[in-house]
Amino acid sequence: MRRTTILRTGLSALLLLGTWATAGSLPASAADTPPRSTEAPASSALLSAMQRDLGLTRDAAVARLASEKTATTVEQKARNAAGSAYGGSWYDAGSGKLTVAVTRAAHADAVRATGATVRLVRFSARQLDAAKKSIDALSAPAGVGSWHVDPKANKVVVDVVAAHRDDNDVRAFLSRARKAGPVAVRETPAAPRTFAAGTVGGDPYYTGNVRCSIGFSVHGGFVTAGHCGSPSAAVYGWDRSYIGNFQGSSFPDNDYAWVNVGSGWWTVPVVLGWGTVSDQLVRGSAEAPVGASVCRSGSTTHWHCGRVLAKNETVNYSQGAVHQMTKTSVCAEPGDSGGSFISGDQAQGVTSGGWGNCGSGGETWHQPVNEILNRYGLRLHTA
């Protein structure tokens, strides 16, 4: 397989030959790696996608990425300062700052000292997480799309498919959910679904008759979505040449997997922007806060951007519930499953599923990449 062939086809995500094979520095672990302040905040392709999808100028996109980096650093410090009074946090694009909820005013000054804005709330994050865990134990009907802790609302938010809100089984589920703790109900226009696709020629990787997208390069392979293939299933590249096999896969309950890479294929710390090969280098996996911008690369719809809407959300797919997902306002379509979610130069997760499309809009969930790295003992390949 020649490097010039891969350059011409623009292989999605991370599998390239040639000089990129030595582009990585020392490997990152599953622990968050802070962004390097001396590096450019993002590639031109990522900035262009932010301008298109978030309605920003280029300067505003650069400024937003800078303030989000600061918020990511502040979040852990503020959480430590709040201690047991911590009620969650979210990034506010208007102010460019992180807001931290606390249950006791006595902790407010210590949290403000970290650079965060403070809001007093009734319930702590621990209380809300406990309520969500109780709801996770319930059996959800198809009319319930997902549920997550919303720190801004200081409640567990349950998304119900609008057409099924009055169904008896949905009403019964909500009644049981409210007994677990503070619950708010919101409507969603459609039920979530995964974004795998049938075979289409010229796409990044196949397993069986399913096409999915490569997520992030790890040393020895790449991570992707679990619903794309079962353990030991063979994986083939865009040209139908053999890449490797699924070494681990979990779906439902989780939606993650990893594939070993061999047979002439190499891994590199790159997420493609569909137009240039080395679109975006991956330099770590620091998790962006709720409210921060995030972009996605996939083999069907290429680059799209949006915001982080929620974390630790349980998504009720038709195949079963998937836990600890991150919800975003980014669109996606079949074939994008497994693809890269990235914030600046920091890996966030692999595309799982959602509702809607990139013509009319929608929402998409990703499985956080650090969870996948920790689960399988993998090391992120970074530049």
Side-chain angles (χ1 to χ4, degrees):
M1 186 179 301
R2 295 175 300 171
R3 181 172 182 266
T4 53
T5 302
I6 295 177
L7 289 173
R8 183 171 64 251
T9 57
L11 175 63
S12 170
L14 306 170
L15 299 183
L16 302 176
L17 297 176
T19 57
W20 278 116
T22 58
S25 61
L26 291 176
S29 69
D32 288 356
T33 304
R36 300 177 187 177
S37 59
T38 57
E39 302 287 355
S43 68
S44 59
L46 188 147
L47 291 171
S48 296
M50 290 180 67
Q51 293 173 65
R52 178 195 66 204
D53 295 336
L54 299 175
L56 302 172
T57 64
R58 188 183 188 283
D59 287 346
V62 170
R64 177 158 178 170
L65 286 172
S67 62
E68 289 174 353
K69 281 186 179 181
T70 300
T72 299
T73 301
V74 167
E75 187 173 35
Q76 187 58 54
K77 295 178 180 178
R79 183 170 191 149
N80 292 338
S84 61
Y86 179 72
S89 60
W90 60 93
Y91 172 81
D92 180 74
S95 66
K97 288 192 173 185
L98 186 78
T99 298
V100 175
V102 296
T103 57
R104 294 188 292 274
H107 292 73
D109 288 343
V111 173
R112 288 192 186 96
T114 68
T117 300
V118 174
R119 178 182 294 183
L120 287 175
V121 295
R122 179 180 177 185
F123 300 102
S124 69
R126 184 176 300 175
Q127 289 173 303
L128 294 174
D129 287 343
K132 179 186 174 292
K133 186 176 181 180
S134 295
I135 298 173
D136 283 346
L138 302 177
S139 178
V144 175
S146 62
W147 54 95
H148 68 275
V149 170
D150 185 339
K152 196 171 184 178
N154 199 224
K155 293 181 179 180
V156 179
V157 173
V158 179
D159 286 330
V160 173
V161 180
H164 297 282
R165 178 155 186 171
D166 293 327
D167 290 358
N168 289 335
D169 54 355
V170 171
R171 287 177 175 270
F173 176 85
L174 294 176
S175 177
R176 293 193 297 271
R178 289 188 176 99
K179 295 177 181 178
V183 166
V185 179
R186 295 177 185 168
E187 291 188 356
T188 184
R193 60 191 174 97
T194 56
F195 283 133
T199 297
V200 177
D203 290 295
Y205 87 84
Y206 304 89
T207 178
N209 65 345
V210 172
R211 169 173 61 86
C212 282
S213 299
I214 295 164
F216 292 98
S217 182
V218 297
H219 287 263
F222 65 84
V223 294
T224 187
H227 71 263
C228 291
S230 57
S232 78
V235 174
Y236 300 87
W238 62 271
D239 61 350
R240 301 294 183 165
S241 67
Y242 173 73
I243 296 176
N245 295 76
F246 278 85
Q247 299 299 303
S249 179
S250 178
F251 180 80
D253 187 29
N254 307 291
D255 194 5
Y256 51 57
W258 82 281
V259 175
N260 70 312
V261 168
S263 302
W265 294 83
W266 298 52
T267 64
V268 290
V270 174
V271 175
L272 294 185
W274 302 92
T276 59
V277 171
S278 57
D279 175 41
Q280 184 62 51
L281 293 177
V282 178
R283 295 192 171 95
S285 56
E287 188 176 327
V290 171
S293 63
V294 67
C295 297
R296 180 193 55 72
S297 182
S299 62
T300 300
T301 58
H302 303 173
W303 275 105
H304 285 277
C305 297
R307 296 180 300 111
V308 177
L309 299 178
K311 295 184 181 182
N312 191 23
E313 181 153 27
T314 299
V315 183
N316 189 35
Y317 292 130
S318 61
Q319 300 94 329
V322 177
H323 304 92
Q324 295 179 309
M325 303 277 272
T326 296
K327 179 163 68 176
T328 75
S329 63
V330 187
C331 67
E333 294 181 10
D336 287 327
S337 277
S340 321
F341 264 90
I342 190 165
S343 182
D345 56 14
Q346 300 294 298
Q348 298 298 304
V350 299
T351 303
S352 173
W355 60 266
N357 56 57
C358 289
S360 58
E363 294 176 344
T364 302
W365 286 270
H366 70 71
Q367 186 89 64
V369 69
N370 286 328
E371 180 183 358
I372 309 172
L373 300 178
N374 285 321
R375 168 63 180 83
Y376 295 118
L378 302 171
R379 294 179 296 168
L380 187 67
H381 194 168
T382 58

